[in-house]
């Protein structure tokens, strides 16, 4: 499966700060926003990822992430010259996708939850045409809303309904079959002149090939498109990291845990970050992983049969 991070747009709701820098490069507590969607794809065991951004911002993403090889990834980039809707990602990413399935994540969406990697890998292995992720919100009229029946089957999708039939917002994370490229090609722009992701999802629903994963209790989702939501996301990350001593969306640690890089490579990445607390955390994670590997090789002294 291929991955796409859509990190374009002009982020007018966050101006004036986004006059100078891409929204997806703004800090969410201790790391750039783009680390969060990148870590989601990595947790889904996706290593070949396309980043779509504006022509002005593209060199900044390249400076931050490079070709991804330091994380065991393959990162490529393409410029979206003007906002043409979320579904434009599949047209721009046609060559990247090839004949494989694809996961799209929006560059301003932050997800966190227990065993999220298991949820993501299960979704990546799902044979359904489209796997969407729903999250309960207090103001569903601001989002695309998913309705399910008593058995949990997805029955309707409505974009920003005046009278929502449920409180399940469709988040900015989508898994699709390869048909999504043809579906996107066949779309016509909406009244606002964009290729709408809801129209893609409705086509899969019409075919009976769309399913919804409900991210309920134990999960958090932030769409960081406003100052308030950006601040709330940062406070959430700060609280969890300070209380639990683990860092959310630490891409070096994720790469290490997923087996994309080894402890020595991870430690070098941490050392390159200088005296920052983030860098020290990465080095400590690498040292723990190296110690764990040594214990597994030598085994406990009392019995080599105990694992």
């Amino acid at each position: 499966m291929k991955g796409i991070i859509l990190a374009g747009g002009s982020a007018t709701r966050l101006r004036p700060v986004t006059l100078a820098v891409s929204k997806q490069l703004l800090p969410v507590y201790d790391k750039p926003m783009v680390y969060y969607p990148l870590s989601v794809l990595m947790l889904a065991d996706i290593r070949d990822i396309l980043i779509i951004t504006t022509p002005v911002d593209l060199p900044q993403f390249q400076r931050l992430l490079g070709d991804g090889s330091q994380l065991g990834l393959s990162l490529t980039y393409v410029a979206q010259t003007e906002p043409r809707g979320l579904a434009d990602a599949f047209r721009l990413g046609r060559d990247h996708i090839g004949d494989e399935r694809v996961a799209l994540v929006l560059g301003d969406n932050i997800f966190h939850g227990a065993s999220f990697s298991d949820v993501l890998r299960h979704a990546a292995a799902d044979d359904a045409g489209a796997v969407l992720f729903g999250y309960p919100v207090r103001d569903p009229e601001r989002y695309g809303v998913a309705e399910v029946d008593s058995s949990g089957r997805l029955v309707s999708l409505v974009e920003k309904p005046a009278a929502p039939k449920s409180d399940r917002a469709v988040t900015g994370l989508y898994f699709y079959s390869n048909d999504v490229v043809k579906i996107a090609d066949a779309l016509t722009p909406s009244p606002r002149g964009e290729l709408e992701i809801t129209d893609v999802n409705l086509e899969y629903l019409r075919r009976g090939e769309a399913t919804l994963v409900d991210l309920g209790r134990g999960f958090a989702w932030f769409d960081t498109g406003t100052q308030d939501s950006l601040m709330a996301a940062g406070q959430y990350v700060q609280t969890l990291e300070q209380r639990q001593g683990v860092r959310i969306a630490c891409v070096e640690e994720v790469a290490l845990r997923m087996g994309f890089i080894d402890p020595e490579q991870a430690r070098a990445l941490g050392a390159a970050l200088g005296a920052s607390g983030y860098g020290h955390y990465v080095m400590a994670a690498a040292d723990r992983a190296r110690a764990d590997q040594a214990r597994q090789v030598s085994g406990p002294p009392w019995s080599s049969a105990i694992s």
Side-chain angles (χ1 to χ4, degrees), residues 1 10 18 28 54 65 71 81 89 95 99 108 112 154 159 179 192 213 249 259 261 272-274 281 283 296:
M1 174 174 274
S10 53
T18 50
V28 178
T54 68
L65 298 170
L71 297 171
T81 55
D95 292 340
D99 58 0
D108 61 358
H112 179 253
L154 184 61
E159 185 67 22
D179 284 351
R192 62 175 185 163
V213 175
I261 59 176
L273 294 169
Y281 176 85
M283 287 189 285
Q296 290 171 5

Side-chain angles (χ1 to χ4, degrees), residues 238-280:
Q238 179 190 35
T239 298
L240 274 183
E241 291 190 353
Q242 290 185 352
R243 289 183 179 178
Q244 299 182 3
V246 296
R247 295 190 182 241
I248 299 170
C250 175
V251 292
E252 296 85 358
E253 184 179 28
V254 173
L256 177 61
R257 299 302 181 193
M258 295 296 295
F260 299 168
I261 59 176
D262 61 33
E264 287 69 28
Q265 291 170 307
R267 201 176 203 291
L269 292 175
L273 294 169
S276 69
Y278 186 97
H280 285 297

Side-chain angles (χ1 to χ4, degrees), residues 103-179:
L104 171 68
V105 61
L106 305 188
D108 61 358
N109 273 222
I110 294 174
F111 298 85
H112 179 253
S115 302
F116 193 34
S117 180
D118 293 338
V119 173
L120 292 169
R121 282 183 281 184
H122 179 76
D126 198 316
D127 290 333
V131 180
L132 313 178
F133 295 80
Y135 189 82
V137 295
R138 290 179 294 179
D139 48 356
E141 65 277 0
R142 293 182 52 234
Y143 303 93
V145 174
E147 178 191 6
V148 297
D149 61 19
S150 58
S151 65
R153 184 176 62 92
L154 184 61
V155 295
S156 75
L157 292 166
V158 182
E159 185 67 22
K160 298 180 179 178
K165 294 183 178 180
S166 85
D167 66 349
R168 290 302 189 269
V170 178
T171 70
L173 176 62
Y174 318 86
F175 288 70
Y176 293 113
S177 68
N178 190 258
D179 284 351

Side-chain angles (χ1 to χ4, degrees), residues 22-284:
S22 167
K23 172 176 65 174
Q24 291 84 8
L25 293 175
L26 293 175
V28 178
Y29 185 49
D30 58 349
K31 62 190 74 70
M33 186 186 297
V34 72
Y35 276 30
Y36 295 86
L38 178 59
S39 70
V40 168
L41 296 181
M42 293 169 68
L43 288 170
D45 203 18
I46 297 171
R47 302 173 68 168
D48 195 347
I49 299 167
L50 174 70
I51 297 175
I52 299 174
T53 187
T54 68
V56 171
D57 295 323
L58 193 151
Q60 298 177 54
F61 282 93
Q62 290 177 315
R63 180 182 177 187
L64 174 68
L65 298 170
D67 64 4
S69 59
Q70 75 279 9
L71 297 171
L73 306 176
S74 173
L75 299 181
T76 51
Y77 303 83
V78 69
Q80 187 181 46
T81 55
E82 58 182 286
R84 289 186 293 267
L86 304 188
D88 187 46
F90 305 113
R91 294 184 175 186
L92 292 172
R94 180 195 322 275
D95 292 340
H96 168 72
I97 297 168
D99 58 0
E100 295 191 39
R101 298 181 68 223
V102 61
L104 171 68
V105 61
L106 305 188
D108 61 358
N109 273 222
I110 294 174
F111 298 85
H112 179 253
S115 302
F116 193 34
S117 180
D118 293 338
V119 173
L120 292 169
R121 282 183 281 184
H122 179 76
D126 198 316
D127 290 333
V131 180
L132 313 178
F133 295 80
Y135 189 82
V137 295
R138 290 179 294 179
D139 48 356
E141 65 277 0
R142 293 182 52 234
Y143 303 93
V145 174
E147 178 191 6
V148 297
D149 61 19
S150 58
S151 65
R153 184 176 62 92
L154 184 61
V155 295
S156 75
L157 292 166
V158 182
E159 185 67 22
K160 298 180 179 178
K165 294 183 178 180
S166 85
D167 66 349
R168 290 302 189 269
V170 178
T171 70
L173 176 62
Y174 318 86
F175 288 70
Y176 293 113
S177 68
N178 190 258
D179 284 351
V180 72
V181 176
K182 293 180 180 178
I183 292 173
D185 278 341
L187 293 181
T188 56
S190 67
R192 62 175 185 163
E194 295 191 357
L195 302 176
E196 306 290 352
I197 198 72
T198 297
D199 290 337
V200 172
N201 296 335
L202 285 171
E203 174 59 22
Y204 277 108
L205 182 62
R206 185 191 66 79
R207 299 179 179 187
E209 297 178 356
T211 61
L212 183 76
V213 175
D214 190 21
L215 299 178
R217 186 183 299 275
F219 284 89
W221 169 59
F222 296 92
D223 176 3
T224 57
T226 66
Q227 284 88 352
D228 286 345
S229 59
L230 181 59
M231 180 68 72
Q235 290 173 336
Y236 175 85
V237 174
Q238 179 190 35
T239 298
L240 274 183
E241 291 190 353
Q242 290 185 352
R243 289 183 179 178
Q244 299 182 3
V246 296
R247 295 190 182 241
I248 299 170
C250 175
V251 292
E252 296 85 358
E253 184 179 28
V254 173
L256 177 61
R257 299 302 181 193
M258 295 296 295
F260 299 168
I261 59 176
D262 61 33
E264 287 69 28
Q265 291 170 307
R267 201 176 203 291
L269 292 175
L273 294 169
S276 69
Y278 186 97
H280 285 297
Y281 176 85
V282 173
M283 287 189 285

